[in-house]
Amino acid sequence: MTETAKTVIIEEHGGPEALKLVDREVGEPGEGEIRIRHAACGLNFIDCYQRSGLYPMELPHALGMEASGTIEAVGPGVTHLAVGDRAAYAAVPPGAYAEARVMPAAQVCKLPDAISFEEGAAMMLKGLTVQYLFHRTTPLKAGDTVLFHAAAGGVGLIACQWAKSEGIRLIGTAGSEEKCQLALEHGADACINYATEDWVARVRELTDGKGVDVVMDSVGKETFEGSLDCLKPLGMMISFGNASGAVEAFNLGLLAQKGSLKVTRPTLFAHIALHEACQDMAAMLFDKVASGAVKIRIDQRFPLAEVAAAHRALEARQTTGQTILTLD
């Protein structure tokens, strides 16, 4: 009898109503693959981009980029994982919204006993994103100043704590006083309510007119130009998301006019493409969490069957911290 697992798929791009829960066959792992039984799944904006068609996919396709669980079977050539291991991952191809799946093993990481399955599901994509933002994109050192948009979101709360643990000053932005307070409680040096303040002017005020060394911006279209105005000369703009829409084309000469600025548009999956790099990045993330320097705050839990409601909450910016899908 072939085993099946409840899996969330889309058959066409669209809104949350396009998400369907179906039974799918789960086979045996082949060369370089594992089969994992999930305990929890993470929820990320990239899932919404793939569902909507902003990031087109060949359809039908399963969704979800991160999860945690127990290794059930190991294919030939896999040496870093064994049956029974606790594991977590952020990886392609999508398919994490499922009770179980077969997938490539290279980006699946052994999860330390000190970290729960729920934390593991909530932290991998966002935590590895923070790791590459602070350690693999541009040199950062204690005393530098970073502007971080959406500081009370899933990536943001990890970034606030990460910055504090390394002596980096983080100025956050968020859309309400409550969210600003949350960012401050997690280590932000200051947080600007963009709903009530001119955040560009406030950043300049907080930096004595000098600007920040680096902007980390996952909001995209709404904040891009203002973010450039917050940078000091030779500063780095890291645009790593599109929550408000894709950044529009702009005149490259603006970078010269505003102080020989630098701009990059990285993705996590380019950084973790090599097995060794992924495992090293995960080891640093696990150390941060196990030591208590970074705490994974899970504020929303939805059963797998209620994934559409989870997407609606995320897109309406009604969430803080991490959101997971539970598999009871």
Side-chain angles (χ1 to χ4, degrees):
M1 181 176 172
T2 304
E3 183 179 355
T4 63
K6 292 191 182 303
T7 304
V8 175
I9 68 166
I10 56 170
E11 296 176 330
E12 58 184 16
H13 293 298
E17 69 280 356
L19 298 164
K20 295 184 176 182
L21 186 64
V22 300
D23 288 316
R24 268 193 159 189
E25 291 186 4
V26 181
E28 294 299 317
E31 181 77 25
E33 294 182 329
I34 54 93
R35 186 174 72 236
I36 183 169
R37 174 70 52 180
H38 290 149
C41 314
L43 188 75
N44 298 281
F45 259 107
I46 191 174
D47 307 342
C48 300
Y49 302 157
Q50 291 170 342
R51 187 211 72 228
S52 69
L54 179 63
Y55 294 173
M57 300 193 308
E58 186 175 337
L59 301 177
H61 210 297
L63 286 188
M65 306 295 283
E66 70 177 340
S68 66
T70 303
I71 303 298
E72 286 191 331
V74 174
V78 177
T79 59
H80 70 290
L81 295 166
V83 173
D85 281 349
R86 304 171 75 251
Y89 66 86
V92 291
Y97 291 178
E99 293 176 326
R101 69 184 295 201
V102 170
M103 64 180 294
Q107 281 69 46
V108 181
C109 306
K110 190 171 180 179
L111 186 66
D113 291 340
I115 300 173
S116 72
F117 280 127
E118 286 200 347
E119 290 170 325
M123 69 188 269
M124 294 300 289
L125 192 145
K126 303 173 192 71
L128 291 173
T129 295
V130 173
Q131 198 280 342
Y132 86 68
L133 289 173
F134 280 84
H135 288 274
R136 293 172 60 89
T137 310
T138 191
L140 277 168
K141 62 185 184 302
D144 285 347
T145 302
V146 166
L147 172 63
F148 201 101
H149 291 297
V155 179
L157 292 184
I158 294 175
C160 290
Q161 297 172 82
W162 198 293
K164 186 175 181 64
S165 76
E166 297 187 352
I168 294 167
R169 182 188 185 198
L170 187 145
I171 299 171
T173 69
S176 69
E177 291 303 320
E178 292 77 15
K179 287 188 174 183
C180 283
Q181 185 59 39
L182 195 57
L184 293 170
E185 290 170 359
H186 283 75
D189 183 79
C191 193
I192 304 163
N193 182 350
Y194 61 73
T196 59
E197 293 188 76
D198 179 337
W199 56 271
V200 176
R202 182 65 175 140
V203 168
R204 285 288 172 180
E205 181 182 339
L206 289 168
T207 58
D208 298 323
K210 297 175 183 177
V212 300
D213 298 283
V214 178
V215 176
M216 299 177 180
D217 187 343
S218 65
V219 175
K221 182 179 179 179
E222 288 181 3
T223 52
F224 184 78
E225 190 169 343
S227 291
L228 294 180
D229 290 332
C230 291
L231 284 166
K232 63 174 57 172
L234 308 181
M236 168 66 86
M237 167 71 174
I238 307 174
S239 177
F240 70 100
N242 314 289
S244 68
V247 175
E248 296 177 347
F250 70 99
N251 178 1
L252 199 60
L254 278 176
L255 303 181
Q257 296 169 22
K258 294 178 183 293
S260 296
L261 305 180
K262 300 179 286 288
V263 175
T264 185
R265 180 55 173 94
T267 67
L268 171 63
F269 299 105
H271 280 281
I272 64 173
L274 295 178
H275 169 73
E276 294 80 6
C278 178
Q279 300 297 320
D280 288 347
M281 292 167 66
M284 178 179 284
L285 172 61
F286 292 154
D287 285 346
K288 290 281 188 185
V289 175
S291 71
V294 171
K295 293 180 172 60
I296 305 302
R297 178 184 175 119
I298 301 171
D299 286 344
Q300 297 82 213
R301 293 172 174 82
F302 293 85
L304 184 64
E306 296 179 15
V307 61
H311 273 230
R312 290 188 184 98
L314 187 64
E315 290 181 301
R317 301 188 187 185
Q318 295 171 347
T319 65
T320 55
Q322 322 299 329
T323 303
I324 63 170
L325 302 174
T326 57
L327 296 157
D328 296 326

mmCIF file of all heavy atoms in Angstrom, residues 4-8 21-24 26 97-100 304 327:
data_model
loop_
_atom_site.group_PDB
_atom_site.id
_atom_site.type_symbol
_atom_site.label_atom_id
_atom_site.label_comp_id
_atom_site.label_asym_id
_atom_site.label_seq_id
_atom_site.Cartn_x
_atom_site.Cartn_y
_atom_site.Cartn_z
ATOM 1 N N THR A 4 0.469 7.947 1.837
ATOM 2 C CA THR A 4 0.137 9.300 1.405
ATOM 3 C C THR A 4 0.300 10.264 2.573
ATOM 4 O O THR A 4 0.322 9.850 3.748
ATOM 5 C CB THR A 4 -1.303 9.394 0.875
ATOM 6 O OG1 THR A 4 -2.220 9.083 1.932
ATOM 7 C CG2 THR A 4 -1.521 8.448 -0.307
ATOM 8 N N ALA A 5 0.428 11.539 2.231
ATOM 9 C CA ALA A 5 0.542 12.588 3.243
ATOM 10 C C ALA A 5 -0.296 13.776 2.820
ATOM 11 O O ALA A 5 -0.327 14.142 1.633
ATOM 12 C CB ALA A 5 2.002 13.002 3.401
ATOM 13 N N LYS A 6 -0.990 14.383 3.772
ATOM 14 C CA LYS A 6 -1.750 15.598 3.471
ATOM 15 C C LYS A 6 -0.756 16.700 3.095
ATOM 16 O O LYS A 6 0.194 16.963 3.829
ATOM 17 C CB LYS A 6 -2.613 16.006 4.655
ATOM 18 C CG LYS A 6 -3.756 15.024 4.918
ATOM 19 C CD LYS A 6 -4.752 15.563 5.900
ATOM 20 C CE LYS A 6 -5.860 14.556 6.178
ATOM 21 N NZ LYS A 6 -6.560 14.137 4.952
ATOM 22 N N THR A 7 -1.006 17.342 1.959
ATOM 23 C CA THR A 7 -0.075 18.302 1.378
ATOM 24 C C THR A 7 -0.851 19.475 0.811
ATOM 25 O O THR A 7 -1.913 19.291 0.194
ATOM 26 C CB THR A 7 0.743 17.637 0.248
ATOM 27 O OG1 THR A 7 1.405 16.474 0.770
ATOM 28 C CG2 THR A 7 1.767 18.588 -0.337
ATOM 29 N N VAL A 8 -0.337 20.687 1.001
ATOM 30 C CA VAL A 8 -0.978 21.886 0.465
ATOM 31 C C VAL A 8 -0.372 22.186 -0.899
ATOM 32 O O VAL A 8 0.849 22.313 -1.041
ATOM 33 C CB VAL A 8 -0.789 23.090 1.400
ATOM 34 C CG1 VAL A 8 -1.360 24.358 0.757
ATOM 35 C CG2 VAL A 8 -1.457 22.823 2.747
ATOM 36 N N LEU A 21 -5.760 21.492 0.146
ATOM 37 C CA LEU A 21 -5.183 20.413 0.946
ATOM 38 C C LEU A 21 -5.575 19.085 0.312
ATOM 39 O O LEU A 21 -6.765 18.763 0.221
ATOM 40 C CB LEU A 21 -5.684 20.493 2.387
ATOM 41 C CG LEU A 21 -5.067 19.513 3.388
ATOM 42 C CD1 LEU A 21 -3.575 19.784 3.571
ATOM 43 C CD2 LEU A 21 -5.778 19.598 4.730
ATOM 44 N N VAL A 22 -4.575 18.324 -0.140
ATOM 45 C CA VAL A 22 -4.842 17.065 -0.844
ATOM 46 C C VAL A 22 -3.983 15.951 -0.237
ATOM 47 O O VAL A 22 -3.038 16.203 0.515
ATOM 48 C CB VAL A 22 -4.526 17.194 -2.351
ATOM 49 C CG1 VAL A 22 -5.375 18.277 -2.989
ATOM 50 C CG2 VAL A 22 -3.042 17.471 -2.583
ATOM 51 N N ASP A 23 -4.323 14.725 -0.560
ATOM 52 C CA ASP A 23 -3.495 13.579 -0.198
ATOM 53 C C ASP A 23 -2.545 13.286 -1.353
ATOM 54 O O ASP A 23 -2.978 13.133 -2.497
ATOM 55 C CB ASP A 23 -4.363 12.351 0.084
ATOM 56 C CG ASP A 23 -5.131 12.467 1.383
ATOM 57 O OD1 ASP A 23 -4.513 12.900 2.374
ATOM 58 O OD2 ASP A 23 -6.331 12.167 1.409
ATOM 59 N N ARG A 24 -1.248 13.218 -1.049
ATOM 60 C CA ARG A 24 -0.237 12.969 -2.073
ATOM 61 C C ARG A 24 0.597 11.755 -1.689
ATOM 62 O O ARG A 24 0.882 11.536 -0.504
ATOM 63 C CB ARG A 24 0.704 14.180 -2.208
ATOM 64 C CG ARG A 24 0.290 15.188 -3.248
ATOM 65 C CD ARG A 24 1.429 16.149 -3.511
ATOM 66 N NE ARG A 24 1.308 16.816 -4.790
ATOM 67 C CZ ARG A 24 2.249 17.568 -5.324
ATOM 68 N NH1 ARG A 24 3.396 17.727 -4.692
ATOM 69 N NH2 ARG A 24 2.074 18.147 -6.492
ATOM 70 N N VAL A 26 3.818 9.598 -0.994
ATOM 71 C CA VAL A 26 5.166 9.850 -0.499
ATOM 72 C C VAL A 26 5.971 8.569 -0.726
ATOM 73 O O VAL A 26 5.687 7.535 -0.128
ATOM 74 C CB VAL A 26 5.169 10.210 1.007
ATOM 75 C CG1 VAL A 26 6.588 10.496 1.484
ATOM 76 C CG2 VAL A 26 4.271 11.415 1.256
ATOM 77 N N TYR A 97 4.706 22.424 3.223
ATOM 78 C CA TYR A 97 3.361 22.377 3.805
ATOM 79 C C TYR A 97 2.814 20.961 3.627
ATOM 80 O O TYR A 97 1.934 20.697 2.813
ATOM 81 C CB TYR A 97 2.412 23.321 3.085
ATOM 82 C CG TYR A 97 2.623 24.805 3.229
ATOM 83 C CD1 TYR A 97 1.792 25.686 2.533
ATOM 84 C CD2 TYR A 97 3.609 25.361 4.030
ATOM 85 C CE1 TYR A 97 1.925 27.054 2.633
ATOM 86 C CE2 TYR A 97 3.761 26.726 4.138
ATOM 87 C CZ TYR A 97 2.918 27.580 3.434
ATOM 88 O OH TYR A 97 3.048 28.942 3.522
ATOM 89 N N ALA A 98 3.297 20.043 4.415
ATOM 90 C CA ALA A 98 2.919 18.636 4.235
ATOM 91 C C ALA A 98 3.192 17.861 5.514
ATOM 92 O O ALA A 98 4.050 18.246 6.316
ATOM 93 C CB ALA A 98 3.706 18.015 3.083
ATOM 94 N N GLU A 99 2.471 16.758 5.670
ATOM 95 C CA GLU A 99 2.745 15.879 6.810
ATOM 96 C C GLU A 99 4.094 15.200 6.662
ATOM 97 O O GLU A 99 4.804 14.983 7.656
ATOM 98 C CB GLU A 99 1.641 14.822 6.918
ATOM 99 C CG GLU A 99 0.284 15.387 7.295
ATOM 100 C CD GLU A 99 -0.807 14.334 7.291
ATOM 101 O OE1 GLU A 99 -0.753 13.403 6.447
ATOM 102 O OE2 GLU A 99 -1.718 14.427 8.138
ATOM 103 N N ALA A 100 4.463 14.854 5.427
ATOM 104 C CA ALA A 100 5.744 14.192 5.162
ATOM 105 C C ALA A 100 6.108 14.434 3.703
ATOM 106 O O ALA A 100 5.245 14.718 2.866
ATOM 107 C CB ALA A 100 5.653 12.697 5.435
ATOM 108 N N LEU A 304 -2.577 22.980 9.763
ATOM 109 C CA LEU A 304 -2.269 22.887 8.336
ATOM 110 C C LEU A 304 -3.514 23.150 7.486
ATOM 111 O O LEU A 304 -3.426 23.821 6.444
ATOM 112 C CB LEU A 304 -1.689 21.504 8.015
ATOM 113 C CG LEU A 304 -1.218 21.276 6.576
ATOM 114 C CD1 LEU A 304 -0.051 22.186 6.229
ATOM 115 C CD2 LEU A 304 -0.836 19.805 6.377
ATOM 116 N N LEU A 327 0.937 20.385 12.921
ATOM 117 C CA LEU A 327 0.557 19.075 12.403
ATOM 118 C C LEU A 327 0.232 18.175 13.571
ATOM 119 O O LEU A 327 1.073 17.422 14.058
ATOM 120 C CB LEU A 327 1.702 18.493 11.554
ATOM 121 C CG LEU A 327 2.023 19.284 10.289
ATOM 122 C CD1 LEU A 327 3.424 19.021 9.821
ATOM 123 C CD2 LEU A 327 1.038 18.911 9.197
#
